[in-house]
C-alpha cells in the first residue's frame, strides 16, 4: 500500500472518517490556491484533491499543485477529468474509471493515455470507480454518464460490487459539484453494506448535518469543493464539517 492510501486508511481507522478538500484549478486564480489550502489545513481537512471537469492541465495545474505543496504538508491527490489533469508535482492520483459512462473514453481510454505518465512521474495510483448519481452536474455531462437515478440504490450497489471485483479499492459516489442535493444517505448505506471498498461521497455537501448523515450511513471520506470558493467563511464551514464527521464514530 502506498503512503497516501495508508495515510487515509489510518485517519479513517482513528477518526471514523476523513475529509478531503477539492480545489478546481479552473475556478481559482493560481495566486489564491495556496491560501485556500492552508485555510483548509487549519480547519482540519486531511488532504487536498486537485481537479475538475475541464481539461485544465499543463502549467496552471502544475502551479496550483506547487502552491498547495508550499502552503501545507497535506497530501495532494489528483482528481483528473482526463489525461491532461496529471501533474508530476502531486503525491497521488485517483486513478479513476467512470464505470457508468456511455463513452469508453471515460472508462479506459483516458486511463490508457494517462497511465504511462503516472508511472513516469512516480505518482501513487489510488484505483477508484467513479459513479455519477443524479443530478450529476458537469461531471455527468462531460463524462457522458448514464446517471444513476437517486431512487436506484441497487444500481449503485451493482456498480460498486463490480468495482470491488475488478480490484478497485475506492468507490466515489458523486452527485456533481454544486449539486442541489447530495447522494442520498440510503444509497451510501446500501453500497456500504454490500462492499468493503473505501467509500467516498461528494457533490452538494454544504452542511455539517449532510456530511455527518452520510458518514453515519457508511461513507469513509467526505469531499467538499464549492465551500472553499467562499473566501469569507470557508475555514469555519470546513471546521464544522470536519468536526461533525469525526464525531459521529463512523459506520
Ligand atoms: C465534485 O464532489 C465534488 O466533484 C465536490 O462537490 O463542489 O458540491 O462540494 P461540491
Amino acid at each position: 500500500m502506498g503512503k497516501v492510501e495508508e495515510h487515509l486508511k489510518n485517519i479513517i481507522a482513528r477518526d471514523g472518517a476523513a475529509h478531503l478538500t477539492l480545489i478546481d484549478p479552473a475556478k481559482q486564480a493560481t495566486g489564491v490556491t495556496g491560501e485556500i489550502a492552508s485555510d483548509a489545513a487549519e480547519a482540519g481537512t486531511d488532504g487536498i484533491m486537485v481537479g475538475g471537469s475541464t481539461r485544465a492541465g499543463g502549467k496552471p495545474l502544475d502551479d496550483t499543485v506547487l502552491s498547495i505543496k508550499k502552503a501545507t504538508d497535506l497530501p495532494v491527490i489528483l482528481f483528473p477529468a482526463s489525461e491532461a489533469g496529471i501533474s508530476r508535482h502531486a503525491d497521488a492520483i485517483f486513478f479513476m474509471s467512470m464505470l457508468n459512462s456511455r463513452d469508453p473514453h471515460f472508462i479506459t481510454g483516458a486511463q490508457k493515455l494517462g497511465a504511462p505518465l503516472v508511472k513516469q512521474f512516480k505518482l501513487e495510483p489510488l484505483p477508484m470507480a467513479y459513479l455519477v448519481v443524479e443530478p450529476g452536474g458537469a461531471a455527468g455531462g462531460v463524462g457522458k454518464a448514464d446517471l444513476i437515478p437517486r431512487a436506484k440504490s441497487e444500481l449503485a450497489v451493482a456498480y460498486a460490487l463490480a468495482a470491488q471485483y475488478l480490484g478497485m479499492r475506492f468507490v466515489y459516489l458523486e452527485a456533481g459539484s454544486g449539486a442541489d442535493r447530495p447522494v442520498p444517505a440510503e444509497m451510501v448505506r446500501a453500497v456500504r453494506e454490500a462492499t468493503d471498498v473505501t467509500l467516498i461521497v461528494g457533490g452538494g455537501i454544504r452542511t455539517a448535518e449532510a456530511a455527518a448523515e452520510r458518514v453515519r450511513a457508511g461513507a469513509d471520506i467526505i469531499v467538499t469543493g464549492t465551500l472553499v470558493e467562499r473566501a469569507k467563511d470557508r475555514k469555519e464551514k470546513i471546521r464544522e464539517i470536519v468536526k461533525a464527521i469525526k464525531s459521529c464514530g463512523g459506520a
Side-chain angles (χ1 to χ4, degrees):
M1 196 187 300
K3 270 213 306 234
V4 174
E5 185 166 355
E6 205 177 341
H7 167 79
L8 293 174
K9 286 243 162 190
N10 287 341
I11 290 167
I12 295 163
R14 186 191 68 196
D15 300 343
H19 177 265
L20 294 176
T21 295
L22 173 65
I23 296 180
D24 183 344
K27 288 190 191 162
Q28 307 296 339
T30 311
V32 303
T33 49
E35 201 181 304
I36 294 176
S38 78
D39 279 354
E42 276 177 43
T45 199
D46 298 303
I48 308 285
M49 288 163 58
V50 177
S53 298
T54 62
R55 291 181 59 91
K59 187 161 167 14
L61 175 66
D62 283 340
D63 288 348
T64 299
V65 173
L66 287 171
S67 70
I68 297 167
K69 300 284 304 171
K70 202 167 147 199
T72 79
D73 294 328
L74 292 173
V76 176
I77 307 172
L78 298 169
F79 181 57
S82 73
E83 71 286 359
I86 301 177
S87 166
R88 66 172 72 233
H89 304 292
D91 299 295
I93 178 169
F94 278 128
F95 201 82
M96 54 209 268
S97 175
M98 190 190 283
L99 295 187
N100 63 323
S101 176
R102 293 184 304 276
D103 183 345
H105 176 75
F106 296 99
I107 306 170
T108 56
Q111 293 74 4
K112 156 200 76 190
L113 296 172
L117 287 176
V118 172
K119 187 169 175 68
Q120 187 188 332
F121 297 160
K122 297 191 172 59
L123 296 169
E124 178 183 337
L126 305 170
M128 179 171 94
Y130 190 47
L131 304 179
V132 187
V133 179
E134 288 177 333
V142 171
K144 299 180 196 160
D146 200 359
L147 296 175
I148 299 175
R150 289 173 56 80
K152 286 261 182 244
S153 291
E154 67 276 20
L155 186 55
V157 166
Y159 274 120
L161 268 179
Q164 179 171 317
Y165 298 158
L166 284 164
M168 295 167 175
R169 298 191 291 277
F170 295 81
V171 167
Y172 191 134
L173 295 176
E174 167 76 273
S177 184
D180 57 354
R181 289 152 300 169
V183 170
E186 310 79 74
M187 186 179 280
V188 175
R189 186 168 295 111
V191 171
R192 170 74 301 145
E193 282 171 5
T195 69
D196 306 317
V197 294
T198 297
L199 183 54
I200 308 174
V201 179
I205 297 176
R206 279 182 282 271
T207 64
E209 301 81 68
E213 192 187 357
R214 279 145 192 87
V215 171
R216 284 194 296 269
D220 297 303
I221 298 177
I222 296 289
V223 178
T224 60
T226 303
L227 274 185
V228 290
E229 290 161 24
R230 303 174 11 173
K232 223 174 73 203
D233 59 352
R234 66 176 159 236
K235 221 193 271 187
E236 202 38 51
K237 289 301 281 181
I238 296 172
R239 193 170 277 139
E240 279 172 21
I241 288 184
V242 168
K243 189 169 163 232
I245 67 176
K246 290 178 189 269
S247 54
C248 54

